[in-house]
Amino acid sequence: MENLISNLQKRRRMMFYILFAVALIGIGVDSFFEIAPANYYDPQLQLFFVYGLIAYKLLELTVLYFFFYHRHMLKCVGEEHDEAVRAKFEKNAKRFFMLVPHGSVIFGIISYKLTAELTYFLLFLAIAFIALSLVKPHNIFKSSIQ
């Protein structure tokens, strides 16, 4: 179990580094290049799209957390200490730690292209950072001891 937790902690830490690197790249692109907002839609409608993406992201993170992490974590720390259950939890936890930054970066790029404002891009990265900060793999070990 300790090996699983250390692997998940490493993956979580790696995702923090990736988010930080992507934020620096975004800041660099914003400062060196002039990005014009997309003119496909009315600017007011573009803001509604961005707000919809933010609401969707918050809902998606809740669903991802429940289906890919929390549900399998409860099975893993429960009475049954089966290797298949542990392997399934590890696979889904890795998937969760990969999907959170990936989706936030994609949504951030979309919102940045729609509005040409870096703040929306950084907001999505902050949402991913908060989600990764709230999910702590070392709490699994505390739950399994009790």
Side-chain angles (χ1 to χ4, degrees), residues 64-65 67-73 89 93 135-137 140:
L64 280 177
Y65 172 73
F67 281 116
F68 286 145
Y69 192 85
H70 188 72
R71 183 174 63 136
H72 295 288
M73 181 192 71
F89 168 69
V135 178
K136 298 176 180 154
I140 300 166

Side-chain angles (χ1 to χ4, degrees), residues 18-58:
I18 289 172
L19 284 175
F20 182 70
V22 168
L24 287 178
I25 290 170
I27 292 169
V29 166
D30 187 58
S31 63
F32 290 119
F33 298 104
E34 184 70 31
I35 305 291
N39 56 2
Y40 309 128
Y41 308 106
D42 180 45
Q44 188 66 24
L45 188 59
Q46 290 174 349
L47 282 179
F48 286 130
F49 284 149
V50 171
Y51 295 149
L53 287 174
I54 293 169
Y56 177 79
K57 189 54 158 168
L58 294 175

